[in-house]
Amino acid sequence: MPPPFLLMFDYKLLEALDMVLRCGSFDAAAKRLHLTPSAISQRIRQLEERHGEVLLRRETPLSATASGEQLLAHVRQVRLLEADLATRFDASNDDVAWSNLRVGITADSLAIGLIAAIAPNLVPAKLLLDCVVEDEAYTLDLLRSGDVIGCISTQPLSVAGCVAIPLGQLPYIGVANVKFVAQYFACGVTAHSLAGAPAAVFGQKESLHRRLLRERFALLDAQFPCYVIPESHALYAAAKSGLAYAIVPRAQAAAELSAGTMREIAEFTTAVPLYWHHWARPTRPALALTAAIEQFAAHHFCR
């Protein structure tokens, strides 16, 4: 009889676990794998029996346990390595399959044109990105859990089995349209004026905007009015419309600042250091993605 650790790596079962978590339900995973929901459930149960513990939390939303995350990280790495090996053996074949890379991307990177900037590198390498969008302070958790093969993060220290590449600093500024500035900041930007000025803040978690208000003006969440908007384009649109002021990448507001329709709020000017984290044993597609992200950072970040 094979040793227990060999029984654990049944990739048919691991694929079921991976698909359930990607799709968010047994029914959706069953459709993707052309199986019945009961067959998916049976595979998850078999995997847990072989491993000897619960791997999937049956809650809303579905989530992996710590052991489940370790298995997922393993199977995703194996899948990428196998695809890379197949490409190496068949490099001359025009029908080589596209590679799917699941990455943790910041909303602000997307807002200032990440996809368009790296597109010339993606197409020749046949790379498909599965982007998981999160605030840059939390993307490293996605890599640590094995949910992604790489991420853009504010954290300089990498996780085990991964490396971190400095990308530079992304400049941020406070912005509001001309009428908003005249209405709320005619006497200057102070803790008192900010306590009455609606802010557009990204998401529910700790964010750059919340941190700067706390550190520079001693204002906590309950001490200023805010719209919570979990999408960078919509957040900036709120500022452009005069609904609120916001803190955004300088590049995102460059056109309106030049046109004079938006004003910079200098009290919020800052720069956030960012890093590209990826597995220490990258595949050729992952290396191509790394090169593309470094080129993007060279044009949009400061050193």
Side-chain angles (χ1 to χ4, degrees), residues 248-260:
V248 302
R250 180 178 290 276
Q252 189 176 12
E256 287 76 23
L257 289 172
S258 296

Side-chain angles (χ1 to χ4, degrees), residues 17 25 34 59 61 68 73 82 124 145 156 198 200 241 265 267 272 284:
L17 177 64
S25 72
H34 305 290
E59 56 190 18
E82 288 179 345
S145 69
S241 71
I265 304 172
E267 288 79 1
V272 175
R284 286 198 298 175

Side-chain angles (χ1 to χ4, degrees), residues 2-43:
F5 69 87
L6 290 179
L7 292 175
M8 193 168 60
F9 295 105
D10 185 326
Y11 290 96
K12 178 179 66 177
L13 306 184
L14 286 169
E15 182 183 34
L17 177 64
D18 186 22
M19 193 59 70
V20 165
L21 289 166
R22 286 183 187 275
C23 296
S25 72
F26 284 78
D27 288 346
K31 290 179 181 178
R32 290 286 297 274
L33 293 176
H34 305 290
L35 297 168
T36 64
S38 61
I40 292 291
S41 180
Q42 183 178 10
R43 290 186 180 187

Side-chain angles (χ1 to χ4, degrees), residues 244-293:
Y245 75 98
I247 298 175
V248 302
R250 180 178 290 276
Q252 189 176 12
E256 287 76 23
L257 289 172
S258 296
T261 57
M262 296 291 284
R263 295 283 178 84
E264 178 177 350
I265 304 172
E267 288 79 1
F268 290 106
T269 299
T270 190
V272 175
L274 293 173
Y275 302 83
W276 169 244
H277 295 258
H278 64 80
W279 288 340
R281 188 183 176 186
T283 60
R284 286 198 298 175
L287 287 173
L289 176 60
T290 294
I293 288 176

Side-chain angles (χ1 to χ4, degrees), residues 46-251:
Q46 288 176 353
L47 185 63
E48 291 178 328
E49 289 173 354
R50 293 188 182 195
H51 191 65
E53 61 182 292
V54 174
L55 302 173
L56 179 69
R57 298 188 185 93
R58 277 74 165 176
E59 56 190 18
T60 304
L62 294 169
S63 64
T65 63
S67 296
E69 288 175 349
Q70 290 180 336
L71 287 176
L72 287 173
H74 169 77
V75 72
R76 288 167 181 171
Q77 286 182 327
V78 168
R79 187 182 296 138
L80 286 173
L81 290 170
E82 288 179 345
D84 185 47
L85 189 61
T87 302
R88 290 175 187 271
F89 277 113
D90 204 9
S92 62
N93 189 346
D94 293 335
D95 295 327
V96 171
W98 290 73
S99 298
N100 189 294
L101 300 181
R102 187 171 172 85
V103 293
I105 297 296
T106 67
D108 288 338
S109 294
L110 293 176
I112 62 175
L114 173 65
I115 299 301
I118 68 177
N121 297 71
L122 298 181
V123 176
K126 287 195 170 182
L127 299 182
L128 301 172
L129 294 188
D130 181 356
C131 295
V132 182
V133 180
E134 181 57 278
D135 185 271
E136 58 268 15
Y138 303 97
T139 50
L140 197 59
D141 291 337
L142 300 171
L143 183 64
R144 186 178 290 110
S145 69
D147 192 33
V148 299
I149 60 94
C151 69
I152 296 175
S153 172
T154 57
Q155 308 302 312
L157 298 179
S158 192
V159 298
C162 300
V163 296
I165 300 173
L167 297 176
Q169 296 185 325
L170 181 59
Y172 280 83
I173 59 173
V175 291
N177 75 13
V178 175
K179 291 183 179 180
F180 188 96
V181 170
Q183 180 177 355
Y184 291 99
F185 301 134
C187 296
V189 179
T190 64
H192 177 73
S193 62
L194 289 168
V201 179
F202 186 88
Q204 298 287 350
K205 298 178 181 177
E206 169 74 352
S207 64
L208 176 63
H209 196 144
R210 292 184 175 93
R211 179 169 61 80
L212 291 179
L213 282 174
R214 183 176 65 250
E215 293 176 355
R216 297 183 180 182
F217 300 95
L219 287 174
L220 304 178
D221 277 8
Q223 297 175 318
F224 61 92
C226 71
Y227 297 93
V228 179
I229 304 175
E231 200 280 321
S232 291
H233 288 291
L235 186 142
Y236 182 51
K240 286 199 298 183
S241 71
L243 192 66
Y245 75 98
I247 298 175
V248 302
R250 180 178 290 276

